[in-house]
Amino acid sequence: MKKALLYSILLSWFVSSCYFVDDIFDPPPPKELTLQEKAEKSVSSFLKKKLGEKYNPYGFGKITIHKPVEIVELEKLERDNKISPSPKLDTLIKNQKQLIRDNNIERTLDLDHFFTNKDSSDKYTVYETNFILNDTLGVKNLNGKIMLNLDQNMEEIVTFYFYEYNIFETGSYYESRELSRNFYSFFKSELERRNGMLEKSAFLKHTLNLAKMIQHTGSFDQQKILEKNVINYVKEERKDIADYKQLKFSDLYQTEDGNDNNISGYYFFHKFIGNYNSTLDTNVVLVEFSPYYEIENIYQMDRPFEQYFK
C-alpha cells in the first residue's frame, strides 16, 4: 500500500515536471503590445536612430487618437450600408474612399515625450516634445514644447524632478514624502498651464533651480531662497550694474487675492551698492515675486531708505 502511494506521488511529480519542462522549451506566446506601448516604442526607436546612446527617455504622456471627418463619414456610410445595403450607398462609399486616397487622409495619434540628450560636447538638454504618428505608427511630425540647456550638474535634479524623489528632509519619511509630492504637484500643474516653448522652458529651469536648493538644505526657507535668487539675478542678468554688493533685505511679505484670500505673490525690499552708468551709489529696490517665486517686477525706491526696513 505504501509503495502504491509512493508511486502515485512520484508519478504526479513527474507529470508536473513534464509540464514545467514544456513551459521552458515551448513558452506561451508573448503578450500583444497595446497601442500606447507600440507608439512609445516607435518614438523611442526614432530618437535612438537620431540621437544615439546619449538619448535618455524619462516618460510618455497618454496617446491621443485623431480621426479626420472624412474617415468618420466613411465609417458611418459603411455602417449604414451594412444595416440596409443599397447601390447608392455603395457609390457613396466608393467615392469617399477615393477622396481619402487622393488626399492622403489618414488617422494620426500624438503623444508627449520627456527625454534628455547629451551632444558631442556633452551639452545637456532637456526636451518635452509632442510626436505626431501616422496610421502605421511612423513619426510624421513633431512639435517642441520644452527645450532647456542645462549644466551637467543639473542632471541629478532632473531625475529627482521627473520621478518625484524626496528633496525635503524632516524627522519622518512620510512627512518628507508628502512635502516633496506637494512641491512637485504645485509646480508641475503650473508648468502645464504655461504656453509656448520659451515660457515653459524658463519655468522648468526656475523649478529645477528651486528643487536643487531645497535638496541641498532639505528644507524650503522662502526668505533665504528668494534672497539668493535676487543676488544671482543681479550678478547674472543685470550686466549694466557693476561692483554689486548686497547690504540687506527686509522681511519677506506675502500678498493675497482680495476675493478668496489665496496667495497672489510675495515681496521684499533689497538694499545694495552698485556702479550704474559709472556712478557708484547705494540703492533700495522693491522686488515682487509671483506665487511661484519668480521675480516679476523690480522698482527703485526713494530715500530715506531706512523706512523700508522697520
Side-chain angles (χ1 to χ4, degrees), residues 3-22:
K3 289 184 178 180
L5 179 59
L6 179 61
Y7 175 77
S8 298
I9 293 172
L10 291 173
L11 179 62
S12 173
W13 177 85
F14 177 74
V15 171
S16 298
S17 298
C18 288
Y19 286 126
F20 176 70
V21 172
D22 285 345

Side-chain angles (χ1 to χ4, degrees), residues 52-104:
E53 294 181 357
K54 294 187 176 182
Y55 157 66
N56 183 24
Y58 274 91
F60 293 86
K62 296 294 183 182
I63 61 171
T64 302
I65 300 173
H66 303 277
K67 188 183 295 185
V69 293
E70 294 83 359
I71 293 179
V72 173
E73 178 62 23
L74 173 61
E75 292 176 346
K76 180 179 181 302
L77 290 171
E78 289 175 334
R79 284 196 303 270
D80 292 343
N81 198 37
K82 188 174 182 180
I83 295 171
S84 180
S86 72
K88 180 180 178 181
L89 284 174
D90 286 338
T91 301
L92 290 174
I93 290 171
K94 181 180 178 181
N95 292 340
Q96 190 70 7
K97 286 183 176 179
Q98 188 63 47
L99 171 70
I100 291 171
R101 282 194 299 269
D102 290 345
N103 292 277
N104 295 317

Side-chain angles (χ1 to χ4, degrees), residues 292-307:
Y292 301 92
Y293 309 100
E294 304 155 282
I295 297 175
E296 285 196 325
N297 299 297
I298 299 178
Y299 301 105
Q300 184 77 32
M301 306 307 293
D302 296 326
R303 298 173 185 272
F305 292 149
E306 290 310 309
Q307 62 182 310

Side-chain angles (χ1 to χ4, degrees), residues 68-235:
V69 293
E70 294 83 359
I71 293 179
V72 173
E73 178 62 23
L74 173 61
E75 292 176 346
K76 180 179 181 302
L77 290 171
E78 289 175 334
R79 284 196 303 270
D80 292 343
N81 198 37
K82 188 174 182 180
I83 295 171
S84 180
S86 72
K88 180 180 178 181
L89 284 174
D90 286 338
T91 301
L92 290 174
I93 290 171
K94 181 180 178 181
N95 292 340
Q96 190 70 7
K97 286 183 176 179
Q98 188 63 47
L99 171 70
I100 291 171
R101 282 194 299 269
D102 290 345
N103 292 277
N104 295 317
I105 297 170
E106 62 180 349
R107 297 176 181 83
T108 60
L109 62 82
D110 71 80
L111 78 162
D112 293 336
H113 181 30
F114 191 91
F115 62 98
T116 62
N117 177 59
K118 296 177 188 174
D119 65 14
S120 56
S121 62
D122 278 339
K123 184 173 68 175
Y124 181 65
T125 307
V126 177
Y127 296 93
E128 185 181 15
T129 304
N130 178 256
F131 288 85
I132 312 296
L133 308 183
N134 59 27
D135 57 7
T136 60
L137 298 184
V139 175
K140 185 175 182 178
N141 201 357
L142 53 89
N143 299 297
K145 300 179 74 174
I146 290 174
M147 186 174 71
L148 176 59
N149 294 323
L150 295 171
D151 293 334
Q152 289 286 326
N153 61 9
M154 295 295 286
E155 186 171 1
E156 181 186 60
I157 203 62
V158 170
T159 301
F160 271 62
Y161 171 84
F162 185 83
Y163 294 115
E164 300 192 353
Y165 295 151
N166 285 5
I167 52 176
F168 286 87
E169 293 183 8
T170 68
S172 87
Y173 174 82
Y174 176 79
E175 184 180 358
S176 300
R177 187 79 191 112
E178 284 302 299
L179 288 171
S180 299
R181 283 178 173 172
N182 290 340
F183 173 89
Y184 293 126
S185 176
F186 183 67
F187 285 94
K188 286 184 177 182
S189 295
E190 180 61 18
L191 179 63
E192 291 301 310
R193 289 191 285 268
R194 298 293 171 110
N195 296 312
M197 187 167 70
L198 290 177
E199 185 179 349
K200 291 176 76 72
S201 299
F203 188 77
L204 176 59
K205 183 178 182 179
H206 168 71
T207 303
L208 293 173
N209 285 334
L210 286 178
K212 191 172 181 66
M213 284 188 279
I214 294 170
Q215 181 197 33
H216 180 69
T217 62
S219 63
F220 190 6
D221 187 323
Q222 296 173 319
Q223 179 84 32
K224 289 183 179 179
I225 285 177
L226 293 184
E227 287 179 9
K228 185 175 181 180
N229 278 351
V230 169
I231 292 171
N232 290 340
Y233 169 79
V234 176
K235 289 181 177 178

